[in-house]
Amino acid sequence: MSMVKDREMVGESPLKDGLRSTDPSSPSTEQEDCPRDSLVSEKEMLRSDWTGPNDKTNPRNWPVPVRVYQTAIPSLCGTLATSVIVPAIPLLQERFDAARETAILTISLYTLGLALGPIIAAPLSELFGRRIVYLITMPLLCIFSAGAGCAQNIQTVIICRFFAGLGGSAALAVGAGTIADIWDIARDGGPAGCSFVLAPFMGSSIGILVGAYIIAEYKDDWRYSMWAVLFVGAPVILSTLFLRETSKIQILARSSQRDIQIRKTPSEFMRHLKSAVTRPLHMLFTEPIVAFLCVYTAFAFAMIWSFFGSFPYIFETIYHFDFKSVGLAFLSLIVGFFLGIMVFGIFDKTIYAKAVVKSKGHPAPEHRLYAAMLGSILLPISLFWFAWSAREDVHWIAPVLAGVPFGAASIAIFLSASSYLVDVYQSGSAASALAANGILRYGSGAAFPLFTIQMYQAVGIRWAGSIFAFIAVLMLPVPWILFKYGKGLRARSGYDT
């Protein structure tokens, strides 16, 4: 039985709090299974601190341009390549005489790589630092994207896309920790946090637009979708060469003024790897809070991936759009993402701020759920709107505009859920809870494109879209139930809450 400690720092936003623990390798995150002092001795830990508030080796004291540069790299990596190949799916089918489901594996296997990559990258970051993870994984993204672009059969394209996804997952593994290393999150980490949180949502929505225009420009040559990844990725790779190490324990260990030895044995790596795999899964199957929120956010997030199939199918079938026009339709989701962050911030500065004052700085974690409760209403509304407005006697702008409330709902649910998990499980277990969330989100994203079009063809556009909307209705009570009964669930948790 765990002790319930409803504690929170006054004035800190949920977005900023979430950055503390989204990365299992962050030096500010002390996981119970992988405590930091497992890497160094007790005496060495006593020396593991900065010399003072003005220590120049502390990343938070680096010049602002340097810190902005360090922040931009994790925000640029990986997610644009997810959907850039979507406009090439029909071309892949034609070029390699492949079934649609086989061609769609180029999306699903890349997304699966994003889900699995952090499991390996996070332990590497623990032992060797963050910079080496970027230096190893980012070239893999470009190398295997080039391999996919040069492939002479669909099997090679699929395999290369999977390994490219593993490489592109570096930002998901250590990006949040990098940002937390170099910014005072409570004071000035908001913009950096926004860029990192928006990246998976924005990248996947912009990628399809980029791919559509580039493929159309080069006479429907699908390979240019992969060259686009190289065009964006190559400068990022060159930029990683000039990155500095930001991990505190790594910086201190390498300092000539300190005698600190980090144990980098294979057994240490395997122990961290085991924890990175088993601990999130254990929480997912034993903690109701983690299970419900992970399933809910995974569904909302995976719906973006389902749109990779449903948007082209609907707008080409009913409105006779070309792929460039389909890509432009995704801009409505981007508008919604920005509105969702604005709504999240408004709740933070109004209702949550009042809860902070009323509780004298110790509000219950359930006060993080206001944006998710609003999002839970907007999500089914937007899905029903999209399903029943897409018909020939209704202007195309109607289903396009449904993307605005959907985008706002999906990111509001994600931010609220992440912040709530951080507040509930704190430094001891929050990283594992969020790791479970990431695995399930990207795992669901990998699965949804494989059956979306089949649903639309089998039961029709309206009822296929309504199935997703009814699932959203079924999940609508999740944040409301946690708001009312969360305290009791926390009290029965097997983890320190």
Side-chain angles (χ1 to χ4, degrees):
M1 192 72 66
S2 62
M3 296 294 292
V4 179
K5 302 175 184 177
D6 299 337
R7 58 190 182 189
E8 187 55 56
M9 296 299 293
V10 179
E12 294 186 358
S13 76
L15 177 59
K16 297 172 183 176
D17 294 338
L19 282 173
R20 285 197 178 91
S21 301
T22 53
D23 172 22
S25 63
S26 172
S28 60
T29 301
E30 300 179 14
Q31 300 183 51
E32 292 174 358
D33 284 355
C34 296
R36 192 188 310 168
D37 60 2
S38 67
L39 301 179
V40 298
S41 69
E42 185 174 351
K43 289 183 179 180
E44 289 167 343
M45 281 300 296
L46 296 176
R47 295 192 293 270
S48 299
D49 208 350
W50 310 117
T51 58
N54 298 318
D55 190 335
K56 293 184 179 180
T57 61
N58 185 344
R60 294 186 180 184
N61 292 327
W62 293 348
V64 172
V66 175
R67 289 188 284 159
V68 171
Y69 175 77
Q70 296 271 154
T71 302
I73 299 305
S75 300
L76 290 173
C77 298
T79 53
L80 182 140
T82 306
S83 58
V84 73
I85 201 171
V86 171
I89 296 299
L91 302 174
L92 288 170
Q93 292 179 245
E94 180 181 352
R95 170 65 179 81
F96 297 116
D97 192 24
R100 182 181 62 242
E101 293 79 6
T102 303
I104 289 175
L105 285 174
T106 59
I107 304 171
S108 296
L109 268 292
Y110 183 91
T111 308
L112 185 62
L114 293 179
L116 300 179
I119 295 175
I120 301 173
L124 285 175
S125 177
E126 282 274 4
L127 298 177
F128 300 101
R130 309 198 196 287
R131 183 173 181 269
I132 190 65
V133 173
Y134 291 121
L135 291 176
I136 292 174
T137 58
M138 286 308 300
L140 291 179
L141 170 61
C142 286
I143 290 171
F144 283 103
S145 293
C150 295
Q152 299 302 312
N153 55 69
I154 191 65
Q155 293 88 346
T156 303
V157 179
I158 293 170
I159 293 172
C160 285
R161 285 282 292 172
F162 171 72
F163 285 105
L166 289 177
S169 67
L172 303 177
V174 298
T178 298
I179 293 172
D181 289 340
I182 61 181
W183 298 100
D184 183 343
I185 301 300
R187 188 181 70 242
D188 50 16
C194 283
S195 67
F196 181 76
V197 168
L198 271 172
F201 294 86
M202 292 281 289
S204 58
S205 299
I206 293 175
I208 189 171
L209 178 61
V210 172
Y213 271 81
I214 287 181
I215 291 174
E217 180 69 21
Y218 290 96
K219 300 179 181 179
D220 290 341
D221 188 344
W222 70 269
R223 298 182 191 276
Y224 278 90
S225 63
M226 294 295 94
W227 305 152
V229 175
L230 297 181
F231 181 79
V232 175
V236 175
I237 290 176
L238 293 177
S239 300
T240 60
L241 298 175
F242 303 99
L243 287 177
R244 301 182 186 180
E245 181 56 64
T246 63
S247 172
K248 178 179 179 180
I249 191 66
Q250 297 291 335
I251 293 173
L252 295 177
R254 298 170 189 178
S255 173
S256 59
Q257 300 176 357
R258 300 173 176 90
D259 182 22
I260 300 174
Q261 296 293 325
I262 300 178
R263 293 191 285 271
K264 302 178 181 179
T265 63
S267 61
E268 285 293 332
F269 172 75
M270 292 306 298
R271 195 165 67 83
H272 282 74
L273 179 61
K274 179 182 177 181
S275 177
V277 174
T278 60
R279 188 174 171 84
L281 293 178
H282 183 267
M283 296 188 75
L284 188 61
F285 287 104
T286 62
E287 291 289 303
I289 290 175
V290 175
F292 283 117
L293 283 180
C294 285
V295 170
Y296 194 26
T297 55
F299 170 76
F301 190 77
M303 281 304 305
I304 301 174
W305 266 248
S306 79
F307 288 159
F308 295 162
S310 61
F311 266 48
Y313 180 77
I314 289 173
F315 289 109
E316 288 177 357
T317 301
I318 298 178
Y319 299 107
H320 311 292
F321 278 19
D322 59 20
F323 242 111
K324 291 191 293 185
S325 299
V326 172
L328 290 172
F330 276 85
L331 294 178
S332 62
L333 273 69
I334 296 174
V335 173
F337 296 151
F338 282 104
L339 288 176
I341 284 186
M342 290 174 58
V343 168
F344 191 77
I346 291 172
F347 277 118
D348 176 46
K349 298 300 182 181
T350 55
I351 301 177
Y352 182 78
K354 291 179 181 179
V356 171
V357 174
K358 185 177 180 180
S359 63
K360 298 180 180 179
H362 302 283
E366 285 70 35
H367 290 290
R368 298 296 200 189
L369 295 172
Y370 295 119
M373 289 189 282
L374 176 60
S376 70
I377 297 173
L378 291 178
L379 187 63
I381 290 176
S382 64
L383 293 176
F384 277 122
W385 178 351
F386 180 70
W388 289 89
S389 64
R391 57 180 192 264
E392 293 180 354
D393 60 333
V394 176
H395 194 275
W396 57 263
I397 195 63
V400 168
L401 289 178
V404 176
F406 171 81
S410 61
I411 200 166
I413 291 170
F414 171 72
L415 288 172
S416 272
S418 299
S419 301
Y420 181 65
L421 290 173
V422 169
D423 279 8
V424 169
Y425 293 101
Q426 304 170 30
S427 63
S429 307
S432 295
L434 293 175
N437 187 294
I439 293 171
L440 200 59
R441 277 190 298 119
Y442 282 100
S444 300
F448 270 48
L450 295 172
F451 60 79
T452 297
I453 295 180
Q454 291 91 322
M455 282 181 55
Y456 279 86
Q457 291 177 333
V459 299
I461 291 173
R462 298 178 189 178
W463 286 109
S466 295
I467 290 173
F468 288 127
F470 282 124
I471 294 174
V473 171
L474 184 65
M475 293 185 175
L476 187 154
V478 169
W480 300 83
I481 291 173
L482 289 177
F483 185 82
K484 183 173 183 180
Y485 299 106
K487 183 176 181 179
L489 291 172
R490 287 186 283 119
R492 292 190 291 271
S493 172
Y495 291 81
D496 180 18
T497 58

